[in-house]
Amino acid sequence: MRGTPPPPGPRILGASFRLAAQTFVADPQWLIPSIVAPVIFALAAYEMYRGSGPVLVLYAILGAGMMSMWGQTLYGSGWAIGQDRFLGTLEPVLGAPARYLWVVAGRVLWNTLIGLAGGALVFLVIAATYHAPLPLRDPLLFVGLFAFVIATLATVGLLFSALFVLTRYGGFIQNIGEFAFYVATGCMFPVVLLPFWTTPLSLLFPPTWALDALRYVGVPGYRGLSWGLLPDLVGALVLSVAYAAAAALLFERVVRHVLAQGTADEY
Amino acid sequence: MSLPVILTRDLTRVYQSRKGFFFQDAVRTEALRGVNLEVSSGEVYGLLGPNGAGKTTLTKILATLLLPTSGTARVLGLDVSTESRAIRSRIGLVLGGERGLYNRVSGRENLRYFADLYGVPVARRARRIDEVLELVGMTSAADRRVEEYSRGMKQRIHLARGLLHEPELLFLDEPTIGLDPKSAREIRKLIRTLASQGVTIFLTTHYMFEAEELCHRISVLTRGRIVAEDTVDGLRRLVGGDRTIEVEGYGFDEKELSLLRALPGVSRIVEEDFGPRERLTLRVRTPETTEGDIRASLPLQRDLRIRERTTTLEDIYLDLVEEEAT
Ligand SMILES: Nc1ncnc2c1ncn2[C@@H]1O[C@H](COP(=O)(O)OP(=O)(O)O)[C@@H](O)[C@H]1O
Ligand SMILES: [Mg+2]
C-alpha cells in the first residue's frame, strides 16, 4: 500500500469527536464552565423567580440552561480552532488530506453534547433539590426538541469557528458573540421585552426558531413568535442547513487564506 | 518513469507581516528568491542552509502548507497550489519541534487520530500504528501522555506520524535539531532505513555532516537562493586540491593579514576569536606555500601554532554561505 485515498467526512468527524472527548476527560477544569456553572445559574434563577409562578420559573431555568449551553458552544468552537493554533497542530492537521470542516465539526459536536449534558443536569438538580416536577406536557418531545436546539447551536458554532480560523483574536469575537446572542435569541427575556430592532435580528439565528419551538412544548400557554410549532421547526432547519453550508464554503476559503498568508504556525 | 518527484521553477515566496499594534509597519520578507530544483524518485535530497535561509518555507510550499508567491512547484507531478489534497495523501511531512502534538493524550492516540485523518484503512490501523511505533522505537512509551515526553520522544512521534500512511515522499525539516547526539544518531539511522526501502526523502539541515552522511545530492540555500547543487562527490571535487591551513596566534593586524593574502595560492582567510587567541583559516590553492612561508610573513608573532588539515565539505559550505552574504 502506497499512500491512501482521502478519508470520508464522517470518519474524520468521528476521530475528531473522539479526540475532543479524550482531551475533555483528561482536563477536569472543563467541568466548571460546562457542567457546574449551568447548575449554579439555574439554582439562582429558580430562587429569583420562585414566587412568580411555575411558568416563569421554567422560563428562567430554561434561559439559564440555554445561556450556559450557548457559552459552551461558542467557547468550544473558538477553542476548537484556538486549540490547534495553541498546540501547533494546525499545520499537521491542514497537511493531512482531510477537510478541516469535518475536524471542527467533530469538536463542535462534542461541545454541544456537553452543553446538552449540562442542560439535562440542570433539570435533574432542580427537580431533586426542590422536589418540584416541572410542568412539562410532553417530556419525550421536549427531549427531542432539546437535541434539535443543540444541533442548531452546533451549526452556529461551526460558522463561528470558520471566522475564528481567520483571526487570531478569536477570544474577542467569542465574548462579543456571547453577549449578542443572549440578547438576540431572547434566552433570558421574552422576545416582546426586547427593543423592537433585535427581533428581526434574532430571527437570523437558527436557535431562536428552535428555542421558540421548544417553549411551545415546555411552557404551557406559550405564545412566543405565534407561528406554531411546525413553522418554527422548518425555519430552524432551513436556517441551520444554510449555516452549515456557509460554514463549509467559508472553511475552504479560510484555509486557503491561511495558506496564502502563511499564518498557520502562529498563535 | 523518470518524471521528477519534485520540480520547481522560479519559485518565490514573500511574507507580508505587520509589526506594532497601533502604528503597523508592513514588513516584507523575501524568503525564497527564485528557486529551481529537481528531485528524482528514490533520492535522498538534502537542502542545506543557515537559519533564516528559507528551508522551512520551501519545505512547507512543497508539502502544500504554504502557497508560493510566484513560480511553480510540482510534487509527484501535481501542482502544489491546485492539487494539494491529492499530494497530501501521498507525502509525509515532519516539521518536528516541541509543539504540534496533542499533549493531553498519549502518543498512540495522537497517531490514531492522524491515521484517521490520513484515511489509513480501519482494518489496518492498529497494526500500522504498532509498526511505526516500533520503527521509531516508541513502543514502550506509546501509552504515556505526550506532555510527559522528552524532546527526542516527541520528535519520534512526529516521525511516526509522517510515516503512518506509507508516503512515497517524505519531507523532513531539520529532523535532528535540538536532539542530544545519541537520539540524533538514531534518527539518522532511521532515515537511512527508510531510504533503503525506496522512500524518496527531502531533508533540510544546517549541518553539512548530516547532509553528507545521508544525502545523495545536496543543495545549499542562503537568503532564499540556491547557491550550489551537486552530489556529495561533486561537492568534494569542488574542494579539489584545496589545502586548509590553520594559523593561531595572539591577534593579527591588517598588515599581517594582507601579507598572508599576498602569499601564492591563498584564496580566502576566515578569522575566528578564542579569548585572547585568534585563529586564521587559510584556503590555499597551490602546494608551494609552506608553513615556513607563513612564519616568515608573521615575524612579530610569538607562540604561533600552524597546522594543516584536510579540507571538509563543511569548509566549502561555509565558503558558499559567506560568499553569498558579502
Ligand atoms: N510566517 C512568517 N512571516 C514572516 N516572515 C517569515 C515567516 N516565516 C518565515 N519568515 C522569514 O522568512 C525567512 C526564511 O525563514 P525560514 O523559511 O523559516 O528559514 P529556515 O527554515 O531556513 O531557518 C526568514 O527571514 C524568516 O524570518
Ligand atoms: Mg526552519
Side-chain angles (χ1 to χ4, degrees):
Chain A
M1 184 191 71
R2 273 289 146 105
T4 47
R11 179 165 177 200
I12 307 166
L13 185 130
S16 167
F17 183 84
R18 181 187 152 98
L19 185 71
Q22 287 171 327
T23 309
F24 184 92
V25 170
D27 194 357
Q29 69 165 15
W30 281 101
L31 289 174
I32 297 168
S34 39
I35 305 286
V36 180
V39 172
I40 293 173
F41 263 129
L43 288 176
Y46 189 88
E47 286 300 330
M48 274 159 62
Y49 290 96
R50 212 210 271 260
S52 329
V55 170
L56 211 57
V57 169
L58 181 69
Y59 202 88
I61 291 168
L62 220 57
M66 277 298 151
M67 188 163 105
S68 312
M69 276 185 284
W70 169 248
Q72 171 70 19
T73 303
L74 199 55
Y75 187 72
S77 33
W79 180 235
I81 309 293
Q83 169 180 246
D84 271 334
R85 282 204 187 275
F86 178 74
L87 293 172
T89 43
L90 188 58
E91 281 194 324
V93 169
L94 291 182
R99 278 183 202 283
Y100 198 55
L101 171 79
W102 291 104
V103 172
V104 177
R107 291 181 196 154
V108 168
L109 190 67
W110 168 259
N111 284 314
T112 33
L113 265 180
I114 284 298
L116 181 67
L121 203 66
V122 164
F123 207 81
L124 292 177
V125 166
I126 294 290
T129 311
Y130 299 101
H131 306 287
L134 294 160
L136 272 187
R137 270 189 292 154
D138 191 340
L140 214 63
L141 186 60
F142 187 82
V143 169
L145 273 178
F146 203 80
F148 182 64
V149 172
I150 293 299
T152 64
L153 272 171
T155 62
V156 178
L158 202 57
L159 191 57
F160 268 88
S161 295
L163 297 170
F164 289 159
V165 203
L166 202 56
T167 168
R168 278 180 293 145
Y169 306 110
F172 175 70
I173 296 180
Q174 200 168 297
N175 295 330
I176 297 280
E178 212 165 327
F179 175 74
F181 184 85
Y182 295 154
V183 181
T185 60
C187 279
M188 291 298 276
F189 316 98
V191 175
V192 286
L193 295 183
L194 287 172
F196 71 97
W197 55 267
T198 51
T199 306
L201 206 70
S202 75
L203 292 179
L204 294 176
F205 281 94
T208 304
W209 298 66
L211 268 174
D212 199 53
L214 184 68
R215 291 200 186 109
Y216 273 118
V217 177
V219 184
Y222 179 72
R223 294 182 50 81
L225 300 169
S226 338
W227 291 329
L229 187 60
L230 201 64
D232 269 352
L233 289 179
V234 171
L237 197 67
V238 167
L239 275 176
S240 291
V241 169
Y243 267 56
L249 266 173
L250 203 57
F251 261 106
E252 288 299 304
R253 279 164 172 264
V254 155
V255 166
R256 189 91 188 157
H257 178 81
V258 167
L259 298 186
Q261 295 289 303
T263 51
D265 60 346
E266 291 176 9
Y267 55 102
Chain B
M1 183 61 222
S2 60
L3 203 77
V5 172
I6 300 173
L7 182 68
T8 76
R9 284 285 167 262
D10 305 321
L11 197 65
T12 73
R13 171 70 210 200
V14 176
Y15 289 106
Q16 309 271 11
S17 49
R18 301 196 168 276
K19 268 196 184 139
F21 191 78
F22 288 110
F23 303 99
Q24 298 200 323
D25 293 326
V27 182
R28 213 181 115 88
T29 312
E30 287 182 64
L32 296 177
R33 302 185 290 168
V35 170
N36 293 295
L37 60 83
E38 214 175 301
V39 178
S40 323
S41 178
E43 230 185 331
V44 180
Y45 188 92
L47 184 70
L48 188 65
N51 273 335
K55 302 182 295 297
T56 300
T57 302
L58 181 53
T59 308
K60 284 184 185 171
I61 288 178
L62 295 175
T64 78
L65 274 184
L66 190 64
L67 292 169
T69 303
S70 71
T72 57
R74 300 187 78 82
V75 171
L76 301 163
L78 303 161
D79 187 276
V80 292
S81 322
T82 57
E83 295 166 296
S84 49
R85 213 173 297 279
I87 294 175
R88 285 175 199 156
S89 13
R90 293 171 60 190
I91 63 166
L93 170 65
V94 181
L95 291 171
E98 280 285 356
R99 289 158 32 82
L101 296 168
Y102 296 94
N103 293 328
R104 305 263 166 179
V105 301
S106 68
R108 188 189 301 278
E109 284 299 338
N110 269 273
L111 294 178
R112 189 186 144 132
Y113 176 69
F114 280 96
D116 287 334
L117 259 49
Y118 275 93
V120 174
V122 178
R124 261 184 65 75
R125 184 176 56 200
R127 188 153 43 94
R128 183 61 192 156
I129 291 170
D130 285 339
E131 279 169 18
V132 292
L133 282 169
E134 184 69 42
L135 202 60
V136 300
M138 280 291 287
T139 304
S140 61
D143 295 305
R144 277 161 54 194
R145 281 194 195 186
V146 169
E147 59 197 354
E148 298 168 23
Y149 287 176
S150 67
R151 178 81 167 74
M153 291 161 92
K154 285 181 188 167
Q155 192 68 11
R156 284 159 198 262
I157 295 292
H158 279 296
L159 253 166
R161 171 170 65 195
L163 298 171
L164 274 171
H165 55 301
E166 298 181 63
E168 53 202 287
L169 168 60
L170 189 61
F171 290 95
L172 303 172
D173 190 23
E174 308 212 38
T176 61
I177 195 163
L179 299 187
D180 59 273
K182 194 163 165 272
S183 311
R185 236 178 78 182
E186 281 168 19
I187 299 278
R188 284 197 293 275
K189 193 173 150 210
L190 176 62
I191 294 170
R192 279 197 304 273
T193 307
L194 292 168
S196 72
Q197 291 168 0
V199 180
T200 308
I201 294 172
F202 181 95
L203 157 105
T204 80
T205 175
H206 64 247
Y207 305 118
M208 177 53 109
F209 80 90
E210 190 165 272
E212 194 179 349
E213 182 184 327
L214 296 172
C215 303
H216 305 130
R217 267 192 321 138
I218 297 173
S219 63
V220 177
L221 186 74
T222 39
R223 297 162 165 239
R225 260 195 253 277
I226 289 184
V227 292
E229 185 190 45
D230 214 326
T231 59
V232 175
D233 285 340
L235 285 177
R236 280 222 185 82
R237 274 196 292 279
L238 223 73
V239 176
D242 282 10
R243 300 158 64 206
T244 300
I245 301 175
E246 289 178 353
V247 182
E248 253 181 68
Y250 289 106
F252 300 93
D253 59 26
E254 245 343 283
K255 193 165 154 250
E256 290 173 315
L257 285 173
S258 55
L259 279 171
L260 288 177
R261 274 194 204 102
L263 287 171
V266 173
S267 64
R268 267 177 70 71
I269 299 179
V270 178
E271 298 171 67
E272 282 170 289
D273 291 339
F274 296 94
R277 302 279 283 176
E278 186 178 2
R279 181 197 289 158
L280 305 177
T281 305
L282 280 62
R283 187 68 32 80
V284 185
R285 294 237 146 91
T286 52
E288 295 89 276
T289 300
T290 63
E291 196 183 311
D293 297 334
I294 292 169
R295 267 185 210 287
S297 308
L298 306 167
L300 298 178
Q301 285 285 343
R302 305 170 50 163
D303 198 10
L304 206 56
R305 238 168 264 167
I306 302 179
R307 120 192 140 89
E308 179 156 358
R309 63 168 175 79
T310 36
T311 306
T312 61
L313 284 182
E314 197 83 40
D315 294 319
I316 296 293
Y317 165 56
L318 291 175
D319 284 0
L320 287 167
V321 169
E322 277 178 28
E323 265 165 41
E324 176 66 22
T326 50

